[in-house]
Amino acid sequence: MESKIVLPENICEDEVVDYLAQRYHTTPNRVIDRFLKQEGIITVTPNEGKPEFRLTPNEMEIFRDMGIRPSKVEFSKRF
């Protein structure tokens, strides 16, 4: 069974997300992905290796204060 996490479309356009992407020399999508992994919303696959960067506790709190949470999780079966 596969699942898909749905976030607001404009989250990658947020100034804070853009600032952190520039700070870590990456994309807004990867910053959001890192937050979701560090928050435990999505799991890291065993062969993924060491993350390129980790958000600081303060940055994590900023994301939590922004209310970045999946609006829904969709599950689908693939045959």
Side-chain angles (χ1 to χ4, degrees), residues 18-50:
D18 189 52
Y19 169 80
L20 290 172
Q22 290 178 25
R23 178 179 179 185
Y24 290 108
H25 307 287
T26 191
T27 65
N29 287 351
R30 293 195 61 157
V31 172
I32 297 295
D33 181 64
R34 172 62 25 214
F35 168 73
L36 294 173
K37 287 178 180 173
Q38 282 183 231
E39 192 72 352
I41 295 171
I42 57 177
T43 58
V44 180
T45 56
N47 59 357
E48 186 174 313
K50 185 178 178 183

Side-chain angles (χ1 to χ4, degrees), residues 3-4 7 11 16 22 24 26-28 32 40 49 53 59 61-62 64 69 71 79:
S3 64
K4 177 173 71 170
L7 296 169
I11 197 68
V16 173
Q22 290 178 25
Y24 290 108
T26 191
T27 65
I32 297 295
F53 66 95
E59 293 165 344
E61 192 61 38
I62 290 169
R64 289 182 198 113
R69 294 275 186 244
S71 57
F79 295 95

